Amino acid sequence: MGEDVANQSPTLEQSGEFAVIARLVRDRRQPAAVSLGPGDDGAVVATRDGRTVVSTDMLVQDRHFRLDWSTPYDVGRKAIAQNAADIEAMGARTTAFVVGFGAPGTTPTAEASALVDGMWDEAERLGAGIAGGDLVSAPQWVVSVTVLGDLDGLAPVLRSGARPDSVLAVAGELGRSAAGYELWRNDIEGFAELRRRHLVPQPPYGAGAVAAAGGALAMIDVSDGLISDLRHVAEASGVGIDVSTAALSADFDAVSGAAAAVGVDGWDWVLGGGEDHALVACFGGQVPVGWRVIGRVLDGPARVLVDGLDWTGYAGWESFAG
C-alpha cells in the first residue's frame, strides 16, 4: 500500500471498532460452506463430512513478519496460506477461517483493509471464506487465524502412520522462503522471486486431499523445516526416515545463487528452512501426481538421516529460540 494513501486514511481509533468491522466485511461473498457469516455472535459453517478439522496459528509483528518488508496485503495472504497448509496436511479441504486482529489505534484503517483484502484473495484461491473474527487494540500487529476443514469422507492423515519400507514424498518446493529471509535480512538486492516467496508462501493447495485419496500413511506441513518436521513424523510413528539430497537437487539449485550471495550452504535452507509450507507424506504404494519421492522410511529407532547419515547442519525453526 502506498504511504500517501495510508497517511490520508483515518486511523482505527478515529474510525471506531464497529465502523472498521463493517467496512472490512462489506460486500464479501461467502462460499456455500459458510451459511452465516459475520454479523451475529457466531458464524455457521456446514461440514458435509460431519467432522471438522480445526487448526489455529498466530503471526506477531517483528517476529513472523515485518511491515518494512511486507505490505499489509502480503501479511494477509501469508496468514491464510500458512493456516490452510495445516488443513492440507491432514488430508482435508479448507472451508472457512475466523480471524482475530490486534493493532495500535494509530494504524490507518486503509492498512487494516489491505490486510483483509489479502486474506480474502488467498482464501478465495481455496474456495474458502472468512466467516468471522475480532478486532482489538494492541501494542503491535497480531494476526490470529483459526481455520476449519472438511475431510470429505476420508480418514485424517496423521503423523503417526508411517511404516518401514514406505517412501517419502514432497509436494511443493523447499528452501525458497529461508533464502528470501536471508536476502531481506542481509539487504541483498535481486533474486526477486525468492524474496517474494518469503513474504507470501505458496502451499500446494489440493495436494493434501490428493495424498489422502492416494493412500498417504502419514503427512505433515513443512512449516519449521524439513528435518525438524520429519522428526515429528519419525517420533510419532516410531520409524527412521532417510532423506536423499539427490532427490532434492532441484530445490538446492533454485537457491544456490542466493546462497553464494549470502555466503551460506544452500542445504541449510533446503533441509532446515521453514515457511515454504510444502507437504511431506509417506506412501506405501505409488506416489500420486504432483508428488515427488525424496526418501524412504526405515525401521526404528526414531531418527532422521540425510543420505544415511546424521544431519549436523541447521535443522529448523523453534518458536522460543533466540
Side-chain angles (χ1 to χ4, degrees), residues 287-313:
V287 172
V289 173
W291 289 78
R292 54 192 167 108
V293 175
I294 62 167
R296 59 197 179 107
V297 182
L298 314 171
D299 286 321
R303 65 202 187 282
V304 178
L305 306 175
V306 176
D307 296 331
L309 302 173
D310 290 327
W311 174 246
T312 58

mmCIF file of all heavy atoms in Angstrom, residues 287-313:
data_model
loop_
_atom_site.group_PDB
_atom_site.id
_atom_site.type_symbol
_atom_site.label_atom_id
_atom_site.label_comp_id
_atom_site.label_asym_id
_atom_site.label_seq_id
_atom_site.Cartn_x
_atom_site.Cartn_y
_atom_site.Cartn_z
ATOM 1 N N VAL A 287 3.151 -43.122 -5.702
ATOM 2 C CA VAL A 287 3.015 -41.728 -5.275
ATOM 3 C C VAL A 287 2.087 -40.993 -6.246
ATOM 4 O O VAL A 287 2.244 -41.121 -7.468
ATOM 5 C CB VAL A 287 4.405 -41.061 -5.225
ATOM 6 C CG1 VAL A 287 4.293 -39.573 -4.978
ATOM 7 C CG2 VAL A 287 5.266 -41.710 -4.155
ATOM 8 N N PRO A 288 1.116 -40.210 -5.754
ATOM 9 C CA PRO A 288 0.167 -39.528 -6.650
ATOM 10 C C PRO A 288 0.835 -38.461 -7.513
ATOM 11 O O PRO A 288 1.945 -37.982 -7.222
ATOM 12 C CB PRO A 288 -0.825 -38.874 -5.676
ATOM 13 C CG PRO A 288 -0.642 -39.575 -4.380
ATOM 14 C CD PRO A 288 0.782 -40.006 -4.339
ATOM 15 N N VAL A 289 0.140 -38.083 -8.556
ATOM 16 C CA VAL A 289 0.590 -36.985 -9.420
ATOM 17 C C VAL A 289 0.734 -35.721 -8.578
ATOM 18 O O VAL A 289 -0.105 -35.421 -7.728
ATOM 19 C CB VAL A 289 -0.427 -36.761 -10.563
ATOM 20 C CG1 VAL A 289 -0.055 -35.513 -11.364
ATOM 21 C CG2 VAL A 289 -0.500 -37.981 -11.464
ATOM 22 N N GLY A 290 1.804 -34.985 -8.820
ATOM 23 C CA GLY A 290 2.067 -33.762 -8.060
ATOM 24 C C GLY A 290 2.990 -33.979 -6.879
ATOM 25 O O GLY A 290 3.379 -33.012 -6.211
ATOM 26 N N TRP A 291 3.342 -35.222 -6.612
ATOM 27 C CA TRP A 291 4.256 -35.564 -5.526
ATOM 28 C C TRP A 291 5.540 -36.159 -6.105
ATOM 29 O O TRP A 291 5.499 -36.815 -7.137
ATOM 30 C CB TRP A 291 3.603 -36.566 -4.573
ATOM 31 C CG TRP A 291 2.501 -35.973 -3.754
ATOM 32 C CD1 TRP A 291 1.229 -35.710 -4.151
ATOM 33 C CD2 TRP A 291 2.589 -35.559 -2.397
ATOM 34 N NE1 TRP A 291 0.509 -35.149 -3.131
ATOM 35 C CE2 TRP A 291 1.319 -35.051 -2.032
ATOM 36 C CE3 TRP A 291 3.620 -35.571 -1.439
ATOM 37 C CZ2 TRP A 291 1.045 -34.556 -0.764
ATOM 38 C CZ3 TRP A 291 3.354 -35.085 -0.178
ATOM 39 C CH2 TRP A 291 2.090 -34.580 0.158
ATOM 40 N N ARG A 292 6.668 -35.917 -5.435
ATOM 41 C CA ARG A 292 7.941 -36.487 -5.883
ATOM 42 C C ARG A 292 8.633 -37.184 -4.719
ATOM 43 O O ARG A 292 8.658 -36.672 -3.598
ATOM 44 C CB ARG A 292 8.842 -35.408 -6.485
ATOM 45 C CG ARG A 292 9.077 -34.209 -5.586
ATOM 46 C CD ARG A 292 9.735 -33.057 -6.352
ATOM 47 N NE ARG A 292 9.688 -31.829 -5.584
ATOM 48 C CZ ARG A 292 10.746 -31.253 -4.997
ATOM 49 N NH1 ARG A 292 11.953 -31.782 -5.107
ATOM 50 N NH2 ARG A 292 10.608 -30.118 -4.315
ATOM 51 N N VAL A 293 9.208 -38.333 -4.985
ATOM 52 C CA VAL A 293 9.867 -39.128 -3.953
ATOM 53 C C VAL A 293 11.196 -38.474 -3.558
ATOM 54 O O VAL A 293 12.001 -38.103 -4.427
ATOM 55 C CB VAL A 293 10.107 -40.565 -4.449
ATOM 56 C CG1 VAL A 293 10.913 -41.367 -3.422
ATOM 57 C CG2 VAL A 293 8.785 -41.259 -4.727
ATOM 58 N N ILE A 294 11.414 -38.323 -2.241
ATOM 59 C CA ILE A 294 12.656 -37.704 -1.762
ATOM 60 C C ILE A 294 13.351 -38.548 -0.691
ATOM 61 O O ILE A 294 14.331 -38.098 -0.106
ATOM 62 C CB ILE A 294 12.404 -36.289 -1.198
ATOM 63 C CG1 ILE A 294 11.455 -36.338 0.014
ATOM 64 C CG2 ILE A 294 11.882 -35.355 -2.280
ATOM 65 C CD1 ILE A 294 11.428 -35.037 0.805
ATOM 66 N N GLY A 295 12.839 -39.754 -0.430
ATOM 67 C CA GLY A 295 13.491 -40.560 0.595
ATOM 68 C C GLY A 295 12.705 -41.818 0.902
ATOM 69 O O GLY A 295 11.777 -42.190 0.171
ATOM 70 N N ARG A 296 13.053 -42.459 2.007
ATOM 71 C CA ARG A 296 12.401 -43.710 2.382
ATOM 72 C C ARG A 296 12.269 -43.790 3.892
ATOM 73 O O ARG A 296 12.956 -43.073 4.635
ATOM 74 C CB ARG A 296 13.206 -44.906 1.856
ATOM 75 C CG ARG A 296 14.636 -44.966 2.374
ATOM 76 C CD ARG A 296 15.508 -45.898 1.532
ATOM 77 N NE ARG A 296 16.881 -45.909 2.055
ATOM 78 C CZ ARG A 296 17.413 -46.935 2.722
ATOM 79 N NH1 ARG A 296 16.692 -48.029 2.942
ATOM 80 N NH2 ARG A 296 18.658 -46.879 3.155
ATOM 81 N N VAL A 297 11.387 -44.681 4.312
ATOM 82 C CA VAL A 297 11.132 -44.892 5.733
ATOM 83 C C VAL A 297 11.793 -46.198 6.160
ATOM 84 O O VAL A 297 11.693 -47.218 5.460
ATOM 85 C CB VAL A 297 9.618 -44.933 6.020
ATOM 86 C CG1 VAL A 297 9.370 -45.112 7.518
ATOM 87 C CG2 VAL A 297 8.953 -43.645 5.529
ATOM 88 N N LEU A 298 12.479 -46.163 7.310
ATOM 89 C CA LEU A 298 13.271 -47.285 7.805
ATOM 90 C C LEU A 298 12.672 -47.816 9.098
ATOM 91 O O LEU A 298 11.831 -47.176 9.738
ATOM 92 C CB LEU A 298 14.711 -46.831 8.083
ATOM 93 C CG LEU A 298 15.406 -45.969 7.015
ATOM 94 C CD1 LEU A 298 16.718 -45.437 7.572
ATOM 95 C CD2 LEU A 298 15.629 -46.781 5.752
ATOM 96 N N ASP A 299 13.141 -48.977 9.516
ATOM 97 C CA ASP A 299 12.822 -49.456 10.866
ATOM 98 C C ASP A 299 13.339 -48.450 11.890
ATOM 99 O O ASP A 299 14.292 -47.709 11.629
ATOM 100 C CB ASP A 299 13.485 -50.813 11.120
ATOM 101 C CG ASP A 299 12.768 -51.938 10.371
ATOM 102 O OD1 ASP A 299 11.537 -51.908 10.308
ATOM 103 O OD2 ASP A 299 13.461 -52.826 9.851
ATOM 104 N N GLY A 300 12.729 -48.468 13.088
ATOM 105 C CA GLY A 300 13.181 -47.591 14.162
ATOM 106 C C GLY A 300 14.599 -47.917 14.569
ATOM 107 O O GLY A 300 15.198 -48.870 14.060
ATOM 108 N N PRO A 301 15.214 -47.141 15.458
ATOM 109 C CA PRO A 301 14.597 -46.105 16.288
ATOM 110 C C PRO A 301 14.243 -44.832 15.509
ATOM 111 O O PRO A 301 14.671 -44.657 14.370
ATOM 112 C CB PRO A 301 15.679 -45.799 17.329
ATOM 113 C CG PRO A 301 16.961 -46.066 16.586
ATOM 114 C CD PRO A 301 16.658 -47.261 15.714
ATOM 115 N N ALA A 302 13.459 -43.984 16.160
ATOM 116 C CA ALA A 302 13.028 -42.739 15.541
ATOM 117 C C ALA A 302 14.231 -41.834 15.310
ATOM 118 O O ALA A 302 14.953 -41.480 16.244
ATOM 119 C CB ALA A 302 12.002 -42.038 16.428
ATOM 120 N N ARG A 303 14.447 -41.471 14.053
ATOM 121 C CA ARG A 303 15.564 -40.597 13.704
ATOM 122 C C ARG A 303 15.353 -40.109 12.279
ATOM 123 O O ARG A 303 14.576 -40.691 11.522
ATOM 124 C CB ARG A 303 16.901 -41.331 13.807
ATOM 125 C CG ARG A 303 17.071 -42.466 12.804
ATOM 126 C CD ARG A 303 18.104 -43.483 13.266
ATOM 127 N NE ARG A 303 18.410 -44.491 12.253
ATOM 128 C CZ ARG A 303 17.651 -45.528 11.960
ATOM 129 N NH1 ARG A 303 16.494 -45.699 12.574
ATOM 130 N NH2 ARG A 303 18.025 -46.398 11.043
ATOM 131 N N VAL A 304 16.049 -39.038 11.917
ATOM 132 C CA VAL A 304 16.021 -38.545 10.549
ATOM 133 C C VAL A 304 17.457 -38.480 10.049
ATOM 134 O O VAL A 304 18.309 -37.815 10.667
ATOM 135 C CB VAL A 304 15.352 -37.160 10.446
ATOM 136 C CG1 VAL A 304 15.385 -36.670 8.995
ATOM 137 C CG2 VAL A 304 13.916 -37.208 10.947
ATOM 138 N N LEU A 305 17.727 -39.169 8.961
ATOM 139 C CA LEU A 305 19.046 -39.207 8.352
ATOM 140 C C LEU A 305 19.014 -38.466 7.021
ATOM 141 O O LEU A 305 17.959 -38.314 6.405
ATOM 142 C CB LEU A 305 19.485 -40.652 8.120
ATOM 143 C CG LEU A 305 19.446 -41.597 9.329
ATOM 144 C CD1 LEU A 305 19.787 -43.025 8.895
ATOM 145 C CD2 LEU A 305 20.389 -41.116 10.418
ATOM 146 N N VAL A 306 20.175 -38.029 6.584
ATOM 147 C CA VAL A 306 20.328 -37.434 5.259
ATOM 148 C C VAL A 306 21.397 -38.231 4.540
ATOM 149 O O VAL A 306 22.548 -38.297 4.999
ATOM 150 C CB VAL A 306 20.719 -35.948 5.352
ATOM 151 C CG1 VAL A 306 20.956 -35.385 3.953
ATOM 152 C CG2 VAL A 306 19.646 -35.157 6.078
ATOM 153 N N ASP A 307 21.022 -38.888 3.455
ATOM 154 C CA ASP A 307 21.926 -39.784 2.723
ATOM 155 C C ASP A 307 22.546 -40.817 3.657
ATOM 156 O O ASP A 307 23.733 -41.153 3.559
ATOM 157 C CB ASP A 307 23.021 -38.984 2.013
ATOM 158 C CG ASP A 307 22.460 -38.066 0.931
ATOM 159 O OD1 ASP A 307 21.408 -38.398 0.350
ATOM 160 O OD2 ASP A 307 23.083 -37.016 0.666
ATOM 161 N N GLY A 308 21.739 -41.307 4.599
ATOM 162 C CA GLY A 308 22.173 -42.359 5.501
ATOM 163 C C GLY A 308 22.961 -41.913 6.706
ATOM 164 O O GLY A 308 23.354 -42.737 7.531
ATOM 165 N N LEU A 309 23.179 -40.617 6.857
ATOM 166 C CA LEU A 309 23.999 -40.085 7.954
ATOM 167 C C LEU A 309 23.210 -39.078 8.783
ATOM 168 O O LEU A 309 22.252 -38.469 8.306
ATOM 169 C CB LEU A 309 25.253 -39.404 7.387
ATOM 170 C CG LEU A 309 26.176 -40.269 6.520
ATOM 171 C CD1 LEU A 309 27.267 -39.408 5.896
ATOM 172 C CD2 LEU A 309 26.781 -41.412 7.335
ATOM 173 N N ASP A 310 23.643 -38.877 10.025
ATOM 174 C CA ASP A 310 23.040 -37.846 10.857
ATOM 175 C C ASP A 310 23.293 -36.477 10.245
ATOM 176 O O ASP A 310 24.394 -36.194 9.751
ATOM 177 C CB ASP A 310 23.631 -37.883 12.274
ATOM 178 C CG ASP A 310 23.193 -39.108 13.059
ATOM 179 O OD1 ASP A 310 22.062 -39.567 12.851
ATOM 180 O OD2 ASP A 310 24.001 -39.606 13.877
ATOM 181 N N TRP A 311 22.278 -35.622 10.286
ATOM 182 C CA TRP A 311 22.421 -34.266 9.753
ATOM 183 C C TRP A 311 22.944 -33.362 10.851
ATOM 184 O O TRP A 311 22.374 -33.275 11.939
ATOM 185 C CB TRP A 311 21.070 -33.761 9.252
ATOM 186 C CG TRP A 311 21.053 -32.325 8.808
ATOM 187 C CD1 TRP A 311 20.371 -31.301 9.386
ATOM 188 C CD2 TRP A 311 21.738 -31.769 7.684
ATOM 189 N NE1 TRP A 311 20.578 -30.137 8.691
ATOM 190 C CE2 TRP A 311 21.424 -30.386 7.642
ATOM 191 C CE3 TRP A 311 22.596 -32.294 6.709
ATOM 192 C CZ2 TRP A 311 21.928 -29.538 6.664
ATOM 193 C CZ3 TRP A 311 23.091 -31.436 5.731
ATOM 194 C CH2 TRP A 311 22.755 -30.084 5.713
ATOM 195 N N THR A 312 24.031 -32.654 10.577
ATOM 196 C CA THR A 312 24.646 -31.779 11.583
ATOM 197 C C THR A 312 24.442 -30.303 11.268
ATOM 198 O O THR A 312 24.886 -29.445 12.025
ATOM 199 C CB THR A 312 26.158 -32.063 11.684
ATOM 200 O OG1 THR A 312 26.760 -31.865 10.403
ATOM 201 C CG2 THR A 312 26.406 -33.496 12.144
ATOM 202 N N GLY A 313 23.762 -29.999 10.171
ATOM 203 C CA GLY A 313 23.518 -28.610 9.817
ATOM 204 C C GLY A 313 22.282 -28.067 10.508
ATOM 205 O O GLY A 313 21.729 -28.672 11.441
#
